[in-house]
Amino acid sequence: MDRSEAERLDAADPLGRFRDELVDTDPDLIYLDGNSLGRLPRRTAERMERVVRDEWGGELVRAWSHWIGLPRDVGDLIGRHLVGAADGQVVIADSTSVNLYRLAAAALSDRPDRGVVVTDDDNFPTDRYVLAGVAKERGRELRLLHTDPGEGVDLDALAAALDDDVALVSLSHVAYRSGALADMAAVNEIAHRHGALVLWDLCHSAGVVPVELDASGTDLAVGCTYKYLNGGPGSPAFLYVRRDLQARLDNPVQGWFGQRDQFAMGPAYEPVDDIGRFLVGTPPVLSVVAVEEGVRLLAEAGVGRLHAKATALTAHLIALADARLAERGFRVVSPRDARRRG
């Protein structure tokens, strides 16, 4: 393929118009860091200006009448359009690391007679750190599964590492270094066979590959919004708790946004029985509306179409690497099979 062929594909790209939806101050910049910080959608800047000027500036505290539902409403948007979850199972809250801790702790409390947490040694560092801390705090063992960075989680190795003493399995859906894509449904089935709960990290998959939390039988999941969801630097994360687990699992951080009658200011904590019990404190409104605009943009583009384009682009890059870099000693580590690649 030469440059003219690439230009022809660009011209015929059904997603090409979305370039104009994003702020681009340097047309010569080739930006390959969306896995760290997504671009700024133009509509986000406009929406935040309105919220600051008209809602915060004009409505003041009265704006909470429509702000207070944002964590659930935007969570439902993420569930519906990006992660395959029916309404009432996803909320915006806190950071990925905090949510990972809270859901891991809740899972361990639900399996008090089991002594092991399983993750893999190629998992994102903060995941390993958080899980090690939770295991130490709860007197459990952290069992590290060895994973080839380029191949991702091996199902046979995972099955061999599990037994009936495992309380929780926590993995990343897409490996942060190689892009290897885990088989979510197969992992869930293997873990459930041993009676363990599964907690997925969707930071490198939500918004860029199709995710089906409900259909795959997932128990718990967390994910960030500042990468592919374009929510902005430090934007809050989301968490998923399967509906039938919501009333059973205890949030280890008990806050008034999870309280049954929030404004009664009662003496004791009585959590709601739905996904709201995993809310804690006052949501960061400006950041949540930024996430909402990013999610709406992705929903308009369609994750299926985005994934198809990403697959084609990566296949092109791999072909170029084979043609131009292999003779210089480089090799492609990411999976060559597009079905195994995020």
Side-chain angles (χ1 to χ4, degrees):
M1 178 184 289
D2 60 18
R3 184 179 182 87
S4 63
E5 176 64 9
E7 290 172 341
R8 185 192 68 77
L9 289 172
D10 269 349
D13 180 12
L15 297 177
R17 69 179 181 84
F18 286 94
R19 290 181 67 95
D20 296 332
E21 293 280 350
L22 305 168
V23 173
D24 184 3
T25 60
D26 183 359
D28 293 327
L29 175 68
I30 297 173
Y31 191 62
L32 298 177
D33 242 344
N35 62 304
S36 183
L37 178 64
R39 284 190 181 274
L40 170 63
R42 296 183 186 279
R43 61 181 68 177
T44 300
E46 296 165 1
R47 170 79 181 282
M48 292 185 77
E49 182 183 3
R50 292 197 305 272
V51 172
V52 170
R53 182 189 63 234
D54 300 335
E55 298 178 24
W56 180 12
E59 297 180 57
L60 291 171
V61 74
R62 291 167 293 187
W64 277 109
S65 63
H66 51 89
W67 285 345
I68 202 163
L70 281 170
R72 290 174 180 256
D73 294 343
V74 180
D76 284 344
L77 280 178
I78 292 172
R80 203 177 305 142
H81 296 291
L82 305 184
V83 298
D87 288 357
Q89 299 178 104
V90 179
V91 287
I92 297 284
D94 304 296
S95 70
T96 306
S97 300
V98 170
N99 289 338
L100 188 75
Y101 169 83
R102 293 196 292 127
L103 293 189
L108 293 184
S109 294
D110 191 62
R111 299 288 195 274
D113 299 326
R114 291 171 173 247
V116 177
V117 177
V118 172
T119 190
D120 69 305
D121 58 7
D122 192 52
N123 204 350
F124 193 76
T126 201
D127 293 54
R128 290 184 278 108
Y129 304 158
V130 167
L131 294 170
V134 174
K136 180 179 179 181
E137 177 185 87
R138 301 300 180 98
R140 314 291 177 95
E141 170 197 346
L142 180 64
R143 186 177 295 170
L144 286 177
L145 173 69
H146 176 65
T147 296
D148 183 298
E151 295 297 323
V153 175
D154 180 88
L155 295 177
D156 291 335
L158 175 66
L162 300 188
D163 54 41
D164 291 345
D165 196 31
V166 174
L168 176 68
V169 175
S170 184
L171 300 169
S172 288
H173 188 208
V174 169
Y176 78 102
R177 290 198 287 178
S178 69
L181 178 67
D183 187 332
M184 180 176 284
V187 168
N188 291 341
E189 194 278 327
I190 292 169
H192 291 163
R193 200 186 305 157
H194 290 279
L197 292 169
V198 185
L199 169 55
W200 287 99
D201 183 335
L202 306 180
C203 286
H204 290 88
S205 56
V208 71
V209 299
V211 179
E212 295 293 341
L213 294 180
D214 286 351
S216 66
T218 290
D219 303 310
L220 309 163
V222 299
C224 69
T225 62
Y226 48 80
K227 300 179 190 295
Y228 302 119
L229 275 59
N230 300 327
S235 57
F238 64 90
L239 63 85
Y240 164 91
V241 180
R242 199 178 67 228
R243 194 181 309 279
D244 62 295
L245 294 173
Q246 291 172 8
R248 195 174 90 200
L249 298 183
D250 292 322
N251 182 355
V253 183
Q254 300 179 169
W256 76 311
F257 267 70
Q259 175 74 332
R260 188 174 301 280
D261 191 356
Q262 182 179 8
F263 291 99
M265 306 298 184
Y269 180 66
E270 298 178 2
V272 295
D273 289 335
D274 60 20
I275 192 66
R277 72 164 50 200
F278 293 94
L279 296 173
V280 178
T282 307
V285 171
L286 296 178
S287 292
V288 178
V289 298
V291 173
E292 181 179 4
E293 293 304 320
V295 172
R296 290 190 184 281
L297 184 61
L298 284 171
E300 190 178 324
V303 172
R305 292 200 297 174
L306 288 165
H307 182 53
K309 180 174 180 178
T311 299
L313 282 168
T314 307
H316 177 49
L317 286 172
I318 290 174
L320 288 173
D322 288 343
R324 302 184 183 183
L325 297 178
E327 64 184 18
R328 297 176 181 269
F330 291 91
R331 65 186 179 92
V332 174
V333 176
S334 297
R336 289 175 176 269
D337 182 350
R339 296 168 298 180
R340 298 186 53 245
R341 191 174 66 235

